[in-house]
Amino acid sequence: MFCGSPSTLWERTPTVWERTPTLWEAVWMNEKIKTVTQKCFTVKKMMKMISRILLLLILSSCLCAATFVVNVTQSSYQAEENHSITLEWTFPTKTQGSSRELFIICEFRSSVKPGVTIYVHRDGDEFPESQDEQFSGRVQIDKDVLREGRIRLHVSRLRTEDSGLYLCDVKTEDGSNSGRCRLNVTAAADVSPTQRTTLDPEPEGRGRIGLHVSLLLTAAAAAALMVKLFLTLSSKG
């Protein structure tokens, strides 16, 4: 038995044609979910790949930094004022290839000057105009040994204010690093001519003293000989 009018039953019971859009919608949503899931999986995979590439790059850079080291021949130097000195560094170099990037900048640091440039070298060219006024015309480098991975920095006409820390930063296509050493310049001994004469007599004065001593010894020997002769003659008489 039906409850209600036929129109009411028609409204409560949808036809197959009315259900069809809902089924198509479910299929479309399913396909949409699959597409989004695949895209998410692809993005996740790409992010994972990018992370691995970045990790490899970081490890490579760390490895290069670890293998490229600038060393100093001596960590400390001692010199006297008005003299010259050669500070030396070494860095890794390759024998293969004639042309290579090479950038060198050397700095001086002290309590008075926190950091000034004393030498710049880039791909075979020097830049003397970049030198600090204190070192102008007094700093040179031996270019012939650069291909061997050696930096020989010559500092001439040393001054006491040249005492401090010397740092050379080296950059090549293989990496970059820096090395430092310390230089202590002592004042030259300042002795006046009067003090020098007192402390170190001249050869002429020494010769006169020696002559006087020789004469005294000769006179003493002669006197002893005469006394001996006199005693001999007295004993015979």
Side-chain angles (χ1 to χ4, degrees):
M1 181 180 293
F2 296 100
C3 296
S5 62
S7 59
T8 305
L9 181 61
W10 179 263
E11 292 176 358
R12 291 181 179 180
T13 310
T15 63
V16 176
W17 298 105
E18 290 177 335
R19 294 195 199 99
T20 303
T22 305
L23 294 174
W24 281 111
E25 184 178 358
V27 173
W28 179 82
M29 288 297 295
N30 188 30
E31 294 296 328
K32 191 71 174 178
I33 291 172
K34 288 182 179 179
T35 305
V36 173
T37 304
Q38 290 177 355
K39 287 184 178 180
C40 291
F41 179 76
T42 304
V43 172
K44 187 176 180 180
K45 190 175 181 180
M46 290 179 63
M47 292 297 294
K48 196 172 183 180
M49 186 180 298
I50 292 173
S51 300
R52 290 179 178 177
I53 293 174
L54 290 175
L55 181 60
L56 288 175
L57 291 175
I58 293 172
L59 291 175
S60 299
S61 61
C62 292
L63 183 61
C64 292
T67 56
F68 191 92
V69 180
V70 178
N71 294 314
V72 290
T73 305
Q74 291 182 225
S75 59
S76 180
Y77 292 83
Q78 184 82 19
E80 190 175 335
E81 188 180 14
N82 298 323
H83 288 192
S84 300
I85 196 169
T86 300
L87 312 178
E88 188 168 348
W89 291 260
T90 61
F91 60 93
T93 182
K94 294 180 180 178
T95 55
Q96 296 85 0
S98 56
S99 61
R100 53 185 282 113
E101 177 189 354
L102 178 58
F103 178 71
I104 301 172
I105 179 168
C106 297
E107 296 182 352
F108 168 75
R109 299 176 183 177
S110 67
S111 57
V112 180
K113 294 188 174 183
V116 295
T117 301
I118 61 175
Y119 181 82
V120 176
H121 175 98
R122 186 179 183 88
D123 300 335
D125 297 325
E126 296 178 333
F127 301 88
E129 66 276 4
S130 63
Q131 284 184 347
D132 183 73
E133 183 179 359
Q134 176 180 333
F135 294 90
S136 180
R138 298 194 297 121
V139 177
Q140 294 179 342
I141 202 169
D142 191 353
K143 287 186 175 181
D144 295 335
V145 297
L146 287 178
R147 67 186 67 181
E148 302 173 6
R150 297 168 58 196
I151 302 174
R152 290 174 54 85
L153 191 73
H154 306 286
V155 185
S156 59
R157 304 188 302 277
L158 288 171
R159 308 170 185 172
T160 54
E161 57 265 29
D162 293 341
S163 298
L165 195 66
Y166 289 77
L167 183 144
C168 269
D169 186 82
V170 182
K171 180 180 180 182
T172 70
E173 54 196 17
D174 300 324
S176 62
N177 208 318
S178 61
R180 61 185 65 191
C181 63
R182 185 169 295 277
L183 171 64
N184 183 33
V185 181
T186 57
D190 188 10
V191 182
S192 63
T194 305
Q195 291 175 329
R196 188 179 296 109
T197 302
T198 305
L199 298 175
D200 189 11
E202 296 181 356
E204 184 178 357
R206 291 179 179 177
R208 289 179 180 178
I209 294 174
L211 178 61
H212 293 163
V213 172
S214 299
L215 291 175
L216 288 174
L217 291 175
T218 303
L225 183 61
M226 290 180 66
V227 170
K228 185 177 180 180
L229 181 60
F230 177 76
L231 292 175
T232 304
L233 293 176
S234 297
S235 62
K236 288 181 179 182

